[in-house]
Amino acid sequence: MARGRVKLAYITNDATRKATYKKRKKGLMKKASELSTLCDVEACVVIFSSTSDSQPEVWPSTVATHRMLSNFKMMPAIEQSNRTMTQESLVKKRIAKVEEQLKKLHEENRKKELTQVMFQNLGGNYLNNVKEEDLNDLSWLIDQNLNIIDNKLHMRIESFVLQEK
Amino acid sequence: MARGRVKLAYITNDATRKATYKKRKKGLMKKASELSTLCDVEACVVIFSSTSDSQPEVWPSTVATHRMLSNFKMMPAIEQSNRTMTQESLVKKRIAKVEEQLKKLHEENRKKELTQVMFQNLGGNYLNNVKEEDLNDLSWLIDQNLNIIDNKLHMRIESFVLQEK
DNA sequence: GAATCTATGTATAACGA
DNA sequence: TTCGTTATACATAGATT
C-alpha cells in the first residue's frame, strides 16, 4: 500500500483501523463486483464487524446473500470419498468432540432465547413496529430452512436406498 | 490492471475468462484475509462458479463459513421501524400463515428425526465412506438448523403473545 | 470523524515459454 | 493448459484540510 508497507497485523490505533476498514471494505466489495461481472459468477461477501452496529455488512444485498447462502447450505457437506477409514477409534473420537460442541451450542442457544424474551418484553408494541416486508423476509427465511431440511432428508433417504442395494 | 484497461464486462473468451477468474479469486480472498487480520473482523466470501465443479469456493473455510452464515441467518431480519401498522387484520393473517408453517416445521422435524434414526441404523458400513471432518460438518449443520428453527419459533411465539396483550 | 490528495505498494492483463 | 514475467492500472497509507 502506499507510503509505507503495512504490517499485516491488527491495527491498534482506533481511528486508523476504522479508516482502513472503511477503505478496504469498499475495495473488497468492488473486487467482488468486478469478479462477478467479468466471469459471470455469483458471489457474496459477508463481514461481521463489531464496529458497524453489530449488523453484518454484505455484498451484493441482504436478500441476494440470503438466497445464495441457502444454496450454499443445501450443498452436500459430504463429499464422496473412496478413502477408507481404517481407524474406527478416530471416528469415535470425532463423535465425542462433536457431542461436546453440540452441548455448547445448546447452551448458547438457550442464552440467546432468554435474551430475546427479555428484549421483547421491554415494550408491548413489538409487532406494531415491524414492517410488513420484514415479516415477509422472516417467512422467506423459514421457507428456506424447510427446503434445506427437505434436501437433507432426501440425501439421507437416497443414501439409505443405495446402501440397501 | 496491467497492459490495457479492462472493460468491465463479461469476458467471452473462455481461456481468458478462466485465467482471470483464477487470478481474481485469489486476489479477492487475499483481500478478505487482510481485512480480517488488519481490522479484526469476521468475514467470508462465497463464490458460485459454474466452472469450478459446481461446488462453491469459499474463504476462509467451509466450516468457518457455515458457522458465520448461521450467525447471519439468525440476525434479526427485522429492522426497527417507527411506522405503525394500521391494519391489524394484516398481522393476523400473517400469524395464521406462520402458524401453518410452524405445523409443517414440526412435521418435517419429526420426519427428520425418524430419518436420522434410520440412518444411524444402517450399520457400520456407511461411516467407512465418510471423511471424519465431513461427519463433523454434518452434525454441526444439523444442529445449526435446529437452532435456527428453534430461534424463529420462539420469536414468533413471543410476538404472538405480545400481540394478544 | 469524514473527504481529498498523492506517493507507493499491489494486483493483474497480456504475453511468452 | 498452466506457469513465470513485466508493464500498467488500481488500491490505499499517511498526510492534509
Side-chain angles (χ1 to χ4, degrees):
Chain A
M1 302 77 179
R3 302 205 175 176
R5 272 179 206 140
V6 157
K7 200 175 62 172
L8 209 69
Y10 177 69
I11 299 168
T12 45
N13 182 288
D14 279 5
T16 307
R17 188 178 59 257
K18 199 173 171 186
T20 293
Y21 173 71
K22 199 175 166 186
K23 284 181 184 178
R24 280 177 172 260
K25 184 191 62 175
K26 185 181 163 190
L28 183 66
M29 291 182 176
K30 185 179 177 188
K31 290 285 188 191
S33 158
E34 288 178 353
L35 179 62
S36 182
T37 301
L38 291 169
C39 306
D40 188 32
V41 296
E42 276 201 297
C44 67
V45 176
V46 183
I47 306 172
F48 295 88
S49 159
S50 49
T51 327
S52 70
D53 216 5
S54 83
Q55 284 298 103
E57 308 203 56
V58 301
W59 182 91
S61 72
T62 306
V63 173
T65 303
H66 274 291
R67 184 170 45 72
M68 271 183 267
L69 301 190
S70 293
N71 290 336
F72 177 55
K73 293 208 143 212
M74 271 188 256
M75 296 260 150
I78 295 175
E79 308 265 333
Q80 294 304 339
S81 162
N82 292 323
R83 197 182 71 176
T84 353
M85 197 165 290
T86 48
Q87 306 237 330
E88 200 183 295
S89 61
L90 245 170
V91 178
K92 289 199 176 153
K93 236 164 116 185
R94 284 284 174 194
I95 289 173
K97 195 177 160 192
V98 166
E99 283 172 344
E100 181 59 37
Q101 289 178 331
L102 292 190
K103 218 171 115 189
K104 276 191 197 162
L105 282 171
H106 280 305
E107 285 167 10
E108 214 179 299
N109 198 36
R110 179 159 183 71
K111 263 203 285 185
K112 277 186 188 151
E113 284 168 6
L114 290 174
T115 309
Q116 204 153 33
V117 170
M118 200 173 66
F119 175 69
Q120 287 177 349
N121 279 320
L122 287 178
N125 299 322
Y126 192 67
L127 273 182
N128 289 335
N129 292 329
V130 177
K131 281 190 272 182
E132 297 166 42
E133 61 174 292
D134 291 332
L135 211 52
N136 239 331
D137 240 6
L138 196 61
S139 298
W140 194 86
L141 281 177
I142 288 176
D143 278 345
Q144 290 305 304
N145 278 309
L146 279 175
N147 282 338
I148 291 162
I149 288 170
D150 246 326
N151 232 280
K152 284 185 182 146
L153 277 173
H154 283 292
M155 276 172 59
R156 278 151 185 264
I157 290 167
E158 271 165 16
S159 294
F160 181 75
V161 170
L162 286 169
Q163 186 69 21
E164 290 298 293
K165 283 185 186 169
Chain B
M1 303 76 177
R3 299 203 177 179
R5 274 177 205 143
V6 157
K7 197 174 65 173
L8 208 69
Y10 178 68
I11 299 169
T12 46
N13 182 289
D14 278 7
T16 308
R17 188 177 60 256
K18 200 174 170 185
T20 294
Y21 174 71
K22 200 176 167 185
K23 284 181 183 177
R24 280 177 172 260
K25 183 190 64 175
K26 186 181 163 192
L28 183 66
M29 291 180 175
K30 185 179 177 190
K31 289 288 187 189
S33 157
E34 289 177 353
L35 179 62
S36 183
T37 302
L38 292 169
C39 304
D40 188 33
V41 296
E42 277 202 295
C44 68
V45 176
V46 182
I47 305 173
F48 295 88
S49 159
S50 50
T51 328
S52 69
D53 216 4
S54 82
Q55 283 300 102
E57 309 202 56
V58 301
W59 182 91
S61 73
T62 306
V63 173
T65 303
H66 275 291
R67 182 169 47 71
M68 270 184 268
L69 301 191
S70 293
N71 289 338
F72 178 52
K73 293 206 145 214
M74 270 189 257
M75 293 262 151
I78 296 173
E79 307 268 331
Q80 294 303 339
S81 159
N82 290 324
R83 200 182 69 175
T84 357
M85 197 165 288
T86 48
Q87 307 239 329
E88 201 182 292
S89 61
L90 241 170
V91 178
K92 290 208 172 146
K93 235 163 118 185
R94 286 283 173 196
I95 288 174
K97 194 176 161 193
V98 165
E99 281 173 343
E100 181 59 36
Q101 289 177 330
L102 291 190
K103 219 171 114 189
K104 277 192 198 163
L105 275 174
H106 281 305
E107 285 167 9
E108 290 296 332
N109 204 29
R110 180 162 180 68
K111 261 204 288 182
K112 186 179 161 214
E113 282 168 6
L114 291 173
T115 309
Q116 201 152 33
V117 171
M118 194 174 73
F119 177 68
Q120 286 174 350
N121 281 321
L122 288 178
N125 290 334
Y126 187 73
L127 280 181
N128 288 336
N129 291 328
V130 178
K131 279 191 270 180
E132 304 158 41
E133 59 176 292
D134 291 332
L135 206 55
N136 226 331
D137 244 4
L138 191 62
S139 302
W140 197 88
L141 276 178
I142 289 169
D143 196 61
Q144 286 305 302
N145 278 309
L146 283 176
N147 278 340
I148 290 163
I149 290 167
D150 253 326
N151 233 282
K152 285 183 184 149
L153 276 174
H154 281 286
M155 276 172 62
R156 279 157 184 256
I157 289 164
E158 294 308 329
S159 294
F160 183 76
V161 168
L162 286 168
Q163 183 68 19
E164 291 299 295
K165 283 183 185 170

